[in-house]
Amino acid sequence: MQKSRCTLAFSFLLLWLPYCLAQTTPSNRATRMPTRAATPSPTRAATLSPTRAATPSPTPSPSPQAQTERLKVRLSGYPRKHNEGRIELFYKGEWGTICDDDFSISNANVLCRQLGFVSATGWTHSAKYGKGQGKIWLDNVLCNGGEKSIELCKSRGWGNSDCTHDEDAGVVCKDERIPGFVDSNVIDAHVNENKIEEVRLRPVVTMSRKKLPVTEGVVEVRYKDGWAQICDLGWTIKNTRVVCGMLGFPHERKVNKNFYKLYLERQKNFYHIHSVACTGTEVHLAACPLEFSKPNTTTTCEGGMAAVVSCMPGPLFMQNNGQKKKLKTASNVRLKGGAKLGEGRVEVLKDNEWGTVCDDRWDLLSASVVCRELGFGSAKEALTGARMGQGMGPIYMNEVKCLGHEKSIWNCPFKNITSEDCQHMEDAAIRCNVPHMGFEHSIRLTGGRTRYEGRVEVLGSDSNGTQSWGLVCGETWSTKEAMVVCRQMGLGYANQGLQETWYWDSSNVTEMVMSGVKCTGNEMSLNQCQHHKTVSCQKAAARFAAGVICSETASDLVLNASLVQETVYIEDRPLHMLYCAAEENCLSKSAAKANWPYGHRRLLRFSSQIHNIGRADFKPKAGRHSWVWHACHGHYHSMDIFTHYDLLNANGTKVAEGHKASFCLEDTDCQEGVSKRYECANFGDQGITVGCWDLYRHDIDCQWIDITDVKPGNYILQVVINPNHEVAESDFTNNAMKCNCKYDGHRIWLHNCHIGDAFSEEAERRFEKYPGQLNNQIP
């Protein structure tokens, strides 16, 4: 009897052990709650915790929501960067979290793609970003990694969880956006999408129909497959303000209702909305209290008519130059680092120096005040976590709490910053509503592998007024022109501007219709750039037509100005130690006439610390196969000229110059939480990672200006990074650094060192006219 029991027990063990080994998964964290056993695997309903009842296994079928509308996903919590945080899902009108039981990198990949990032780099457990509130919507989620939405993964089902918020899951996404991904609102606007989504102005005056932007007309909302009107009974100027803000206009104005009444009486109207009661600070009409017409009833607007509004565009969008001069945009707030018009990092001016705004309590009301102040409409998004890159100067504001009606962000309550409060990884940014100008309809790209690249074709008119598509001459075409094209098409930043496009020859368009294009890089469309009135192109074949490659993200290099000022000194260096430097043209021309190896050269030396504050890594334009080996110094040059060093006199003439090839473009160090990716050793990859910097120490070859022939006096030291714009950046205005320089023939002093766009215009004028600068005499 005893033997048979042992045999039975042994047989059961053999059957049970492989099943257990196959099904058991290791705990996803070490700090499990002591009152709870290991979470049951979602593929079986056995092995229950003694403190919990059995829970039904998850079903592989997707939630019904997957077939009706896109699931909303957001990142929350603190402290965090913009690409990481606690995962929250919006289901049945309520935000909730995901339990970390059985969470994996596959789950994180699905969620990060839903958020617009290319992939996940990690995930977190045990409420690393703080405990959420409300529902825990999903538990025991199992994705294979290829699903388009987290709701398509296996789980216990919506709201079926045995977790607490101590177990909220989080993700860390790769800081690279999916090209063309449309962001959901980062800050919830409390807009009920079931009510109303799209609003337009329908112009009724014949001339207005042909002009863009449309600033006045009948307010219409999208309804089913057409458009419906709003009854104007009880309509106020506050409602008009909200509509204008949605459509990209900062101000509203009164409208002549009598004119429209005569027209609308002859029209057949369908009134979908009968009452609107906005406060004037809403960012969307759907956020206002609305009264809808009842279904299956034919109602009229008795005693009223269709609502009509008139909006005042910002200076950028005005067609009347006289109006532009009268209504200037704010001079003490600006946007930096944005790819599209009306978006960027918020910077404010204080004491003649630009600084950023911390994202604590940053919301759509505050963002809308900035948008309107800059001549745009209300805010579409209030972005946190330096989503438009990090600033370099001071941080002036924290916990900005606008009510929405202020004329300037400086009128809003805010806290002053202490060094412990905020860092630049918390810089606030915005995306504003901008008027529809139709610029994207007059330009297109052809022949490229993706919609982000191709040969540029523009829509022009011949002498008969007939429109046909034509090419742009590639001569003089550069990154700046490409920046305008990418912005005009809504494709982000320019990665490259190409003067030859023979490899994209797939279009039957062969005629050059535009040449001599020269842009500053800030224009809204290519037509706004300088160009020949009559086409003149020496290389008129289609293979020499201009082309572009666009990108959703770009790098942004900035020099540490204070370090230059702190490390400057003069060295008299013997000629016998400068052979390699002479070979790389790092000395002035007079060095060729010197009595080598005797004598010396006087060198102005300093350190250069170059930060990448953009949203993409800075990489050399040329691949490593084309890098040039310099045997003398024993290194590769990945860019012929990476920086220019110039000493200028009062009228801007160079009195001495130097240059620096990128013989070692690498991550010297990085801010906290960012890992180095580039290292020059062993023919490694060259570049500068986002959040890292490359340090050229003062004591390395060519890190100088040869001032042997310079007379004593007052000068301006200028350092320009990426001077030829070989590599695309989101902002070229901050590539130059300037310092006042005083040289007495023996010693040298630098002061007022600053990035090119760090000062106000007034402060910059004072900088260039400090005592002694104009007469070149030492005071």
Side-chain angles (χ1 to χ4, degrees), residues 263-291:
Y263 169 81
L264 292 170
E265 282 176 349
R266 301 193 298 269
Q267 301 293 312
K268 186 178 179 181
N269 296 307
F270 174 76
Y271 295 103
H272 181 49
I273 300 175
H274 280 269
S275 175
V276 181
C278 301
T279 65
T281 61
E282 295 88 349
V283 297
H284 197 288
L285 195 64
C288 304
L290 304 174
E291 183 183 325

PDB file of all heavy atoms in Angstrom, residues 263-291:
ATOM      1  N   TYR A 263     -28.448  87.938 -46.364  1.00  0.00           N
ATOM      2  CA  TYR A 263     -27.934  86.775 -47.106  1.00  0.00           C
ATOM      3  C   TYR A 263     -28.483  85.473 -46.536  1.00  0.00           C
ATOM      4  O   TYR A 263     -28.950  84.598 -47.272  1.00  0.00           O
ATOM      5  CB  TYR A 263     -26.401  86.776 -47.062  1.00  0.00           C
ATOM      6  CG  TYR A 263     -25.786  85.497 -47.563  1.00  0.00           C
ATOM      7  CD1 TYR A 263     -25.624  85.264 -48.922  1.00  0.00           C
ATOM      8  CD2 TYR A 263     -25.393  84.500 -46.671  1.00  0.00           C
ATOM      9  CE1 TYR A 263     -25.072  84.071 -49.391  1.00  0.00           C
ATOM     10  CE2 TYR A 263     -24.844  83.315 -47.123  1.00  0.00           C
ATOM     11  CZ  TYR A 263     -24.685  83.102 -48.480  1.00  0.00           C
ATOM     12  OH  TYR A 263     -24.151  81.926 -48.926  1.00  0.00           O
ATOM     13  N   LEU A 264     -28.443  85.330 -45.204  1.00  0.00           N
ATOM     14  CA  LEU A 264     -28.815  84.072 -44.567  1.00  0.00           C
ATOM     15  C   LEU A 264     -30.303  83.781 -44.643  1.00  0.00           C
ATOM     16  O   LEU A 264     -30.728  82.629 -44.547  1.00  0.00           O
ATOM     17  CB  LEU A 264     -28.346  84.075 -43.107  1.00  0.00           C
ATOM     18  CG  LEU A 264     -26.820  84.048 -42.921  1.00  0.00           C
ATOM     19  CD1 LEU A 264     -26.450  84.292 -41.470  1.00  0.00           C
ATOM     20  CD2 LEU A 264     -26.229  82.724 -43.408  1.00  0.00           C
ATOM     21  N   GLU A 265     -31.103  84.819 -44.794  1.00  0.00           N
ATOM     22  CA  GLU A 265     -32.551  84.603 -44.916  1.00  0.00           C
ATOM     23  C   GLU A 265     -32.890  83.834 -46.189  1.00  0.00           C
ATOM     24  O   GLU A 265     -33.924  83.170 -46.271  1.00  0.00           O
ATOM     25  CB  GLU A 265     -33.293  85.946 -44.900  1.00  0.00           C
ATOM     26  CG  GLU A 265     -33.428  86.545 -43.505  1.00  0.00           C
ATOM     27  CD  GLU A 265     -34.087  87.913 -43.546  1.00  0.00           C
ATOM     28  OE1 GLU A 265     -34.245  88.459 -44.667  1.00  0.00           O
ATOM     29  OE2 GLU A 265     -34.426  88.436 -42.477  1.00  0.00           O
ATOM     30  N   ARG A 266     -32.034  83.914 -47.178  1.00  0.00           N
ATOM     31  CA  ARG A 266     -32.270  83.227 -48.448  1.00  0.00           C
ATOM     32  C   ARG A 266     -31.651  81.826 -48.464  1.00  0.00           C
ATOM     33  O   ARG A 266     -31.777  81.108 -49.442  1.00  0.00           O
ATOM     34  CB  ARG A 266     -31.693  84.053 -49.598  1.00  0.00           C
ATOM     35  CG  ARG A 266     -32.284  85.442 -49.712  1.00  0.00           C
ATOM     36  CD  ARG A 266     -31.920  86.076 -51.039  1.00  0.00           C
ATOM     37  NE  ARG A 266     -30.482  86.249 -51.191  1.00  0.00           N
ATOM     38  CZ  ARG A 266     -29.816  87.347 -50.835  1.00  0.00           C
ATOM     39  NH1 ARG A 266     -30.487  88.376 -50.291  1.00  0.00           N
ATOM     40  NH2 ARG A 266     -28.524  87.435 -51.025  1.00  0.00           N
ATOM     41  N   GLN A 267     -30.937  81.485 -47.370  1.00  0.00           N
ATOM     42  CA  GLN A 267     -30.255  80.200 -47.303  1.00  0.00           C
ATOM     43  C   GLN A 267     -31.045  79.205 -46.456  1.00  0.00           C
ATOM     44  O   GLN A 267     -31.771  79.578 -45.530  1.00  0.00           O
ATOM     45  CB  GLN A 267     -28.853  80.372 -46.701  1.00  0.00           C
ATOM     46  CG  GLN A 267     -27.967  81.328 -47.471  1.00  0.00           C
ATOM     47  CD  GLN A 267     -27.609  80.806 -48.838  1.00  0.00           C
ATOM     48  OE1 GLN A 267     -27.199  79.660 -48.983  1.00  0.00           O
ATOM     49  NE2 GLN A 267     -27.783  81.646 -49.857  1.00  0.00           N
ATOM     50  N   LYS A 268     -30.881  77.918 -46.765  1.00  0.00           N
ATOM     51  CA  LYS A 268     -31.469  76.870 -45.940  1.00  0.00           C
ATOM     52  C   LYS A 268     -30.438  76.431 -44.914  1.00  0.00           C
ATOM     53  O   LYS A 268     -29.351  75.982 -45.268  1.00  0.00           O
ATOM     54  CB  LYS A 268     -31.880  75.683 -46.814  1.00  0.00           C
ATOM     55  CG  LYS A 268     -32.626  74.599 -46.043  1.00  0.00           C
ATOM     56  CD  LYS A 268     -33.049  73.457 -46.967  1.00  0.00           C
ATOM     57  CE  LYS A 268     -33.770  72.376 -46.181  1.00  0.00           C
ATOM     58  NZ  LYS A 268     -34.181  71.238 -47.058  1.00  0.00           N
ATOM     59  N   ASN A 269     -30.753  76.603 -43.663  1.00  0.00           N
ATOM     60  CA  ASN A 269     -29.810  76.277 -42.601  1.00  0.00           C
ATOM     61  C   ASN A 269     -30.287  75.080 -41.783  1.00  0.00           C
ATOM     62  O   ASN A 269     -31.487  74.866 -41.603  1.00  0.00           O
ATOM     63  CB  ASN A 269     -29.631  77.476 -41.658  1.00  0.00           C
ATOM     64  CG  ASN A 269     -29.010  78.666 -42.369  1.00  0.00           C
ATOM     65  OD1 ASN A 269     -27.957  78.529 -42.983  1.00  0.00           O
ATOM     66  ND2 ASN A 269     -29.660  79.814 -42.299  1.00  0.00           N
ATOM     67  N   PHE A 270     -29.321  74.317 -41.304  1.00  0.00           N
ATOM     68  CA  PHE A 270     -29.614  73.238 -40.363  1.00  0.00           C
ATOM     69  C   PHE A 270     -28.891  73.548 -39.062  1.00  0.00           C
ATOM     70  O   PHE A 270     -27.663  73.612 -39.027  1.00  0.00           O
ATOM     71  CB  PHE A 270     -29.153  71.886 -40.913  1.00  0.00           C
ATOM     72  CG  PHE A 270     -29.305  70.771 -39.902  1.00  0.00           C
ATOM     73  CD1 PHE A 270     -30.544  70.233 -39.622  1.00  0.00           C
ATOM     74  CD2 PHE A 270     -28.196  70.296 -39.211  1.00  0.00           C
ATOM     75  CE1 PHE A 270     -30.683  69.224 -38.684  1.00  0.00           C
ATOM     76  CE2 PHE A 270     -28.328  69.296 -38.272  1.00  0.00           C
ATOM     77  CZ  PHE A 270     -29.581  68.758 -38.002  1.00  0.00           C
ATOM     78  N   TYR A 271     -29.636  73.754 -38.008  1.00  0.00           N
ATOM     79  CA  TYR A 271     -29.055  74.156 -36.727  1.00  0.00           C
ATOM     80  C   TYR A 271     -28.801  72.926 -35.854  1.00  0.00           C
ATOM     81  O   TYR A 271     -29.731  72.322 -35.317  1.00  0.00           O
ATOM     82  CB  TYR A 271     -29.976  75.138 -36.010  1.00  0.00           C
ATOM     83  CG  TYR A 271     -30.136  76.444 -36.753  1.00  0.00           C
ATOM     84  CD1 TYR A 271     -31.288  76.713 -37.494  1.00  0.00           C
ATOM     85  CD2 TYR A 271     -29.117  77.376 -36.753  1.00  0.00           C
ATOM     86  CE1 TYR A 271     -31.421  77.899 -38.194  1.00  0.00           C
ATOM     87  CE2 TYR A 271     -29.236  78.574 -37.456  1.00  0.00           C
ATOM     88  CZ  TYR A 271     -30.385  78.821 -38.172  1.00  0.00           C
ATOM     89  OH  TYR A 271     -30.502  79.999 -38.867  1.00  0.00           O
ATOM     90  N   HIS A 272     -27.536  72.574 -35.763  1.00  0.00           N
ATOM     91  CA  HIS A 272     -27.154  71.430 -34.924  1.00  0.00           C
ATOM     92  C   HIS A 272     -27.002  71.847 -33.462  1.00  0.00           C
ATOM     93  O   HIS A 272     -27.226  71.058 -32.552  1.00  0.00           O
ATOM     94  CB  HIS A 272     -25.833  70.840 -35.434  1.00  0.00           C
ATOM     95  CG  HIS A 272     -25.350  69.657 -34.667  1.00  0.00           C
ATOM     96  ND1 HIS A 272     -26.158  68.581 -34.356  1.00  0.00           N
ATOM     97  CD2 HIS A 272     -24.128  69.368 -34.138  1.00  0.00           C
ATOM     98  CE1 HIS A 272     -25.459  67.690 -33.672  1.00  0.00           C
ATOM     99  NE2 HIS A 272     -24.232  68.146 -33.529  1.00  0.00           N
ATOM    100  N   ILE A 273     -26.598  73.103 -33.245  1.00  0.00           N
ATOM    101  CA  ILE A 273     -26.401  73.612 -31.881  1.00  0.00           C
ATOM    102  C   ILE A 273     -27.304  74.832 -31.697  1.00  0.00           C
ATOM    103  O   ILE A 273     -27.330  75.730 -32.543  1.00  0.00           O
ATOM    104  CB  ILE A 273     -24.925  73.986 -31.636  1.00  0.00           C
ATOM    105  CG1 ILE A 273     -24.025  72.765 -31.829  1.00  0.00           C
ATOM    106  CG2 ILE A 273     -24.736  74.551 -30.233  1.00  0.00           C
ATOM    107  CD1 ILE A 273     -22.551  73.064 -31.724  1.00  0.00           C
ATOM    108  N   HIS A 274     -28.014  74.882 -30.562  1.00  0.00           N
ATOM    109  CA  HIS A 274     -28.968  75.956 -30.318  1.00  0.00           C
ATOM    110  C   HIS A 274     -28.516  76.939 -29.253  1.00  0.00           C
ATOM    111  O   HIS A 274     -29.077  78.023 -29.138  1.00  0.00           O
ATOM    112  CB  HIS A 274     -30.329  75.370 -29.932  1.00  0.00           C
ATOM    113  CG  HIS A 274     -31.098  74.903 -31.120  1.00  0.00           C
ATOM    114  ND1 HIS A 274     -31.968  75.698 -31.815  1.00  0.00           N
ATOM    115  CD2 HIS A 274     -31.079  73.709 -31.762  1.00  0.00           C
ATOM    116  CE1 HIS A 274     -32.474  75.015 -32.828  1.00  0.00           C
ATOM    117  NE2 HIS A 274     -31.949  73.803 -32.817  1.00  0.00           N
ATOM    118  N   SER A 275     -27.491  76.551 -28.499  1.00  0.00           N
ATOM    119  CA  SER A 275     -27.051  77.465 -27.443  1.00  0.00           C
ATOM    120  C   SER A 275     -25.597  77.196 -27.115  1.00  0.00           C
ATOM    121  O   SER A 275     -25.181  76.037 -26.987  1.00  0.00           O
ATOM    122  CB  SER A 275     -27.916  77.286 -26.187  1.00  0.00           C
ATOM    123  OG  SER A 275     -27.421  78.090 -25.128  1.00  0.00           O
ATOM    124  N   VAL A 276     -24.801  78.265 -27.000  1.00  0.00           N
ATOM    125  CA  VAL A 276     -23.392  78.178 -26.625  1.00  0.00           C
ATOM    126  C   VAL A 276     -23.136  79.181 -25.511  1.00  0.00           C
ATOM    127  O   VAL A 276     -23.584  80.325 -25.595  1.00  0.00           O
ATOM    128  CB  VAL A 276     -22.463  78.498 -27.826  1.00  0.00           C
ATOM    129  CG1 VAL A 276     -21.007  78.385 -27.423  1.00  0.00           C
ATOM    130  CG2 VAL A 276     -22.775  77.579 -29.009  1.00  0.00           C
ATOM    131  N   ALA A 277     -22.449  78.756 -24.462  1.00  0.00           N
ATOM    132  CA  ALA A 277     -22.208  79.649 -23.318  1.00  0.00           C
ATOM    133  C   ALA A 277     -20.759  79.540 -22.859  1.00  0.00           C
ATOM    134  O   ALA A 277     -20.454  78.991 -21.793  1.00  0.00           O
ATOM    135  CB  ALA A 277     -23.158  79.310 -22.168  1.00  0.00           C
ATOM    136  N   CYS A 278     -19.824  80.045 -23.685  1.00  0.00           N
ATOM    137  CA  CYS A 278     -18.398  80.005 -23.340  1.00  0.00           C
ATOM    138  C   CYS A 278     -18.050  81.090 -22.330  1.00  0.00           C
ATOM    139  O   CYS A 278     -18.698  82.141 -22.278  1.00  0.00           O
ATOM    140  CB  CYS A 278     -17.544  80.199 -24.592  1.00  0.00           C
ATOM    141  SG  CYS A 278     -17.795  78.970 -25.897  1.00  0.00           S
ATOM    142  N   THR A 279     -16.995  80.862 -21.570  1.00  0.00           N
ATOM    143  CA  THR A 279     -16.465  81.901 -20.676  1.00  0.00           C
ATOM    144  C   THR A 279     -15.414  82.740 -21.381  1.00  0.00           C
ATOM    145  O   THR A 279     -15.036  83.803 -20.900  1.00  0.00           O
ATOM    146  CB  THR A 279     -15.840  81.276 -19.423  1.00  0.00           C
ATOM    147  OG1 THR A 279     -14.696  80.491 -19.815  1.00  0.00           O
ATOM    148  CG2 THR A 279     -16.845  80.400 -18.681  1.00  0.00           C
ATOM    149  N   GLY A 280     -14.910  82.238 -22.515  1.00  0.00           N
ATOM    150  CA  GLY A 280     -13.901  82.968 -23.292  1.00  0.00           C
ATOM    151  C   GLY A 280     -12.500  82.450 -23.119  1.00  0.00           C
ATOM    152  O   GLY A 280     -11.603  82.819 -23.871  1.00  0.00           O
ATOM    153  N   THR A 281     -12.279  81.564 -22.134  1.00  0.00           N
ATOM    154  CA  THR A 281     -10.924  81.029 -21.907  1.00  0.00           C
ATOM    155  C   THR A 281     -10.784  79.600 -22.408  1.00  0.00           C
ATOM    156  O   THR A 281      -9.694  79.037 -22.355  1.00  0.00           O
ATOM    157  CB  THR A 281     -10.581  81.067 -20.406  1.00  0.00           C
ATOM    158  OG1 THR A 281     -11.519  80.250 -19.685  1.00  0.00           O
ATOM    159  CG2 THR A 281     -10.620  82.489 -19.871  1.00  0.00           C
ATOM    160  N   GLU A 282     -11.873  78.999 -22.911  1.00  0.00           N
ATOM    161  CA  GLU A 282     -11.798  77.626 -23.407  1.00  0.00           C
ATOM    162  C   GLU A 282     -10.919  77.557 -24.660  1.00  0.00           C
ATOM    163  O   GLU A 282     -10.843  78.497 -25.437  1.00  0.00           O
ATOM    164  CB  GLU A 282     -13.198  77.090 -23.736  1.00  0.00           C
ATOM    165  CG  GLU A 282     -14.129  76.950 -22.539  1.00  0.00           C
ATOM    166  CD  GLU A 282     -14.921  78.217 -22.236  1.00  0.00           C
ATOM    167  OE1 GLU A 282     -14.602  79.286 -22.836  1.00  0.00           O
ATOM    168  OE2 GLU A 282     -15.844  78.134 -21.422  1.00  0.00           O
ATOM    169  N   VAL A 283     -10.276  76.400 -24.846  1.00  0.00           N
ATOM    170  CA  VAL A 283      -9.415  76.228 -26.019  1.00  0.00           C
ATOM    171  C   VAL A 283     -10.162  75.535 -27.157  1.00  0.00           C
ATOM    172  O   VAL A 283      -9.620  75.388 -28.249  1.00  0.00           O
ATOM    173  CB  VAL A 283      -8.145  75.432 -25.663  1.00  0.00           C
ATOM    174  CG1 VAL A 283      -7.311  76.167 -24.648  1.00  0.00           C
ATOM    175  CG2 VAL A 283      -8.494  74.028 -25.158  1.00  0.00           C
ATOM    176  N   HIS A 284     -11.380  75.113 -26.907  1.00  0.00           N
ATOM    177  CA  HIS A 284     -12.166  74.413 -27.925  1.00  0.00           C
ATOM    178  C   HIS A 284     -13.635  74.687 -27.662  1.00  0.00           C
ATOM    179  O   HIS A 284     -14.066  74.766 -26.519  1.00  0.00           O
ATOM    180  CB  HIS A 284     -11.880  72.910 -27.848  1.00  0.00           C
ATOM    181  CG  HIS A 284     -12.299  72.154 -29.077  1.00  0.00           C
ATOM    182  ND1 HIS A 284     -13.613  71.908 -29.391  1.00  0.00           N
ATOM    183  CD2 HIS A 284     -11.566  71.574 -30.073  1.00  0.00           C
ATOM    184  CE1 HIS A 284     -13.684  71.216 -30.523  1.00  0.00           C
ATOM    185  NE2 HIS A 284     -12.452  70.996 -30.957  1.00  0.00           N
ATOM    186  N   LEU A 285     -14.399  74.834 -28.731  1.00  0.00           N
ATOM    187  CA  LEU A 285     -15.824  75.096 -28.586  1.00  0.00           C
ATOM    188  C   LEU A 285     -16.528  73.970 -27.829  1.00  0.00           C
ATOM    189  O   LEU A 285     -17.497  74.194 -27.103  1.00  0.00           O
ATOM    190  CB  LEU A 285     -16.457  75.265 -29.974  1.00  0.00           C
ATOM    191  CG  LEU A 285     -17.854  75.894 -30.006  1.00  0.00           C
ATOM    192  CD1 LEU A 285     -17.822  77.330 -29.497  1.00  0.00           C
ATOM    193  CD2 LEU A 285     -18.415  75.850 -31.425  1.00  0.00           C
ATOM    194  N   ALA A 286     -16.007  72.740 -27.977  1.00  0.00           N
ATOM    195  CA  ALA A 286     -16.628  71.601 -27.310  1.00  0.00           C
ATOM    196  C   ALA A 286     -16.469  71.651 -25.798  1.00  0.00           C
ATOM    197  O   ALA A 286     -17.156  70.931 -25.074  1.00  0.00           O
ATOM    198  CB  ALA A 286     -16.044  70.297 -27.842  1.00  0.00           C
ATOM    199  N   ALA A 287     -15.555  72.486 -25.318  1.00  0.00           N
ATOM    200  CA  ALA A 287     -15.378  72.614 -23.874  1.00  0.00           C
ATOM    201  C   ALA A 287     -16.382  73.580 -23.259  1.00  0.00           C
ATOM    202  O   ALA A 287     -16.461  73.705 -22.035  1.00  0.00           O
ATOM    203  CB  ALA A 287     -13.954  73.080 -23.563  1.00  0.00           C
ATOM    204  N   CYS A 288     -17.148  74.274 -24.092  1.00  0.00           N
ATOM    205  CA  CYS A 288     -18.178  75.203 -23.612  1.00  0.00           C
ATOM    206  C   CYS A 288     -19.497  74.449 -23.396  1.00  0.00           C
ATOM    207  O   CYS A 288     -19.757  73.445 -24.055  1.00  0.00           O
ATOM    208  CB  CYS A 288     -18.414  76.316 -24.642  1.00  0.00           C
ATOM    209  SG  CYS A 288     -16.934  77.248 -25.100  1.00  0.00           S
ATOM    210  N   PRO A 289     -20.357  74.940 -22.512  1.00  0.00           N
ATOM    211  CA  PRO A 289     -21.692  74.351 -22.386  1.00  0.00           C
ATOM    212  C   PRO A 289     -22.464  74.543 -23.689  1.00  0.00           C
ATOM    213  O   PRO A 289     -22.588  75.659 -24.192  1.00  0.00           O
ATOM    214  CB  PRO A 289     -22.317  75.160 -21.237  1.00  0.00           C
ATOM    215  CG  PRO A 289     -21.156  75.722 -20.478  1.00  0.00           C
ATOM    216  CD  PRO A 289     -20.100  75.987 -21.499  1.00  0.00           C
ATOM    217  N   LEU A 290     -22.967  73.437 -24.241  1.00  0.00           N
ATOM    218  CA  LEU A 290     -23.664  73.473 -25.526  1.00  0.00           C
ATOM    219  C   LEU A 290     -25.035  72.814 -25.393  1.00  0.00           C
ATOM    220  O   LEU A 290     -25.210  71.851 -24.648  1.00  0.00           O
ATOM    221  CB  LEU A 290     -22.862  72.725 -26.597  1.00  0.00           C
ATOM    222  CG  LEU A 290     -21.421  73.172 -26.851  1.00  0.00           C
ATOM    223  CD1 LEU A 290     -20.756  72.227 -27.840  1.00  0.00           C
ATOM    224  CD2 LEU A 290     -21.370  74.596 -27.365  1.00  0.00           C
ATOM    225  N   GLU A 291     -25.977  73.334 -26.149  1.00  0.00           N
ATOM    226  CA  GLU A 291     -27.306  72.721 -26.213  1.00  0.00           C
ATOM    227  C   GLU A 291     -27.545  72.283 -27.650  1.00  0.00           C
ATOM    228  O   GLU A 291     -27.530  73.101 -28.575  1.00  0.00           O
ATOM    229  CB  GLU A 291     -28.387  73.706 -25.774  1.00  0.00           C
ATOM    230  CG  GLU A 291     -29.788  73.113 -25.755  1.00  0.00           C
ATOM    231  CD  GLU A 291     -30.830  74.151 -25.393  1.00  0.00           C
ATOM    232  OE1 GLU A 291     -30.529  75.041 -24.561  1.00  0.00           O
ATOM    233  OE2 GLU A 291     -31.941  74.084 -25.956  1.00  0.00           O
TER     234      GLU A 291
END
